[in-house]
Amino acid sequence: MYSALPAKATFHDLLLACDRDLADQVRQGRCLICGSALHSSNYPRKPRGRLRKLGAEHDLRFSLCCARHGCRKRKTPASPRFLGQKVYLAATIILISILREGATQKRMRRLTQLIHVDRRTVDRWRTWWRDAFTAMPFWQVARASFMPPVAEHRLPTAMLERFSSNSLTERMVALLRFLGPISGGQAQAL
Ligand SMILES: [Zn+2]
């Protein structure tokens, strides 16, 4: 059932809508430095692991910057679609990592073909969840919100299982929003 999700355009549209909401929230605020209004200043990314049928707006990282000339301080909202500096979409990284745990070889092969991910990349992600993610300050704080504690060697699956909803899409979106703080923010400035 996991393998069907990244192939659905509706799932990606939902994530895009989440990103828009987050960007709108930030736009209603003011520049932290000078208090001026914030304007849209999106920038293109070239995410891998995306479906070909998705429109160009799916490659935009929503961002804002101060409207005042001479300040132009950038503010980039959290994004459920992009995971930090990684070139693959967050949903892709999570789903492939999850699939790796239970999928048959055949299904795994079909999925990696669909979104063009090779075996080495999948192994790298596994190492990332195990070593880099668990060492992040974000996780040091966030893991306390899971009771009983999640098994770190089973990330990200162990996290996804804790979001209660019958719909996999909803659970996935909840997880991606939960991971929002590590999606870049200020550090993502161009
Ligand atoms: Zn400013």
Side-chain angles (χ1 to χ4, degrees):
M1 84 177 160
Y2 287 126
S3 58
L5 199 52
K8 283 183 184 160
T10 48
F11 172 67
H12 295 275
D13 286 337
L14 184 60
L15 291 178
L16 185 64
C18 287
D19 264 20
R20 285 221 170 89
D21 287 347
L22 290 167
D24 284 345
Q25 276 172 29
V26 171
R27 192 178 295 111
Q28 283 159 21
R30 317 287 295 180
C31 172
L32 288 175
I33 305 297
C34 72
S36 301
L38 296 169
H39 286 180
S40 286
S41 179
N42 303 329
Y43 53 90
R45 295 205 40 184
K46 284 184 180 161
R48 289 189 224 158
R50 83 196 279 296
L51 300 173
R52 291 209 177 110
K53 63 185 171 189
L54 298 177
E57 69 274 18
H58 284 272
D59 297 341
L60 271 190
R61 178 70 164 96
F62 296 136
S63 185
L64 300 108
C65 86
C66 174
R68 192 173 68 84
H69 188 70
C71 177
R72 299 282 191 229
K73 174 76 179 162
R74 184 176 283 276
K75 178 125 180 71
T76 301
S79 161
R81 286 184 299 151
F82 299 101
L83 205 53
Q85 303 286 354
K86 294 197 169 295
V87 293
Y88 285 90
L89 294 174
T92 301
I93 294 176
I94 291 170
L95 282 162
I96 297 279
S97 304
I98 287 167
L99 280 169
R100 202 182 173 286
E101 207 176 89
T104 61
Q105 286 291 331
K106 194 172 144 202
R107 186 171 296 163
M108 189 77 195
R109 205 158 46 234
R110 216 168 56 212
L111 188 66
T112 53
Q113 277 165 2
L114 179 72
I115 54 182
H116 312 286
V117 180
D118 64 24
R119 191 82 226 172
R120 270 215 317 263
T121 305
V122 175
D123 288 340
R124 218 165 49 228
W125 290 345
R126 187 178 178 225
T127 309
W128 183 81
W129 284 109
R130 198 191 53 204
D131 302 338
F133 178 76
T134 53
M136 280 181 176
F138 166 80
W139 179 245
Q140 298 305 314
V141 175
R143 68 176 172 189
S145 60
F146 294 99
M147 194 53 66
V150 298
E152 292 188 335
H153 66 280
R154 284 191 58 241
L155 288 171
T157 316
M159 257 192 301
L160 186 72
E161 288 168 354
R162 299 300 178 89
F163 292 93
S164 52
S165 168
N166 290 331
S167 146
L168 175 62
T169 299
E170 280 173 19
R171 273 157 65 203
M172 201 54 202
V173 170
L175 174 59
L176 289 165
R177 295 194 83 141
F178 178 75
L179 293 173
I182 63 164
S183 64
Q186 298 287 9
Q188 191 82 39
L190 214 59

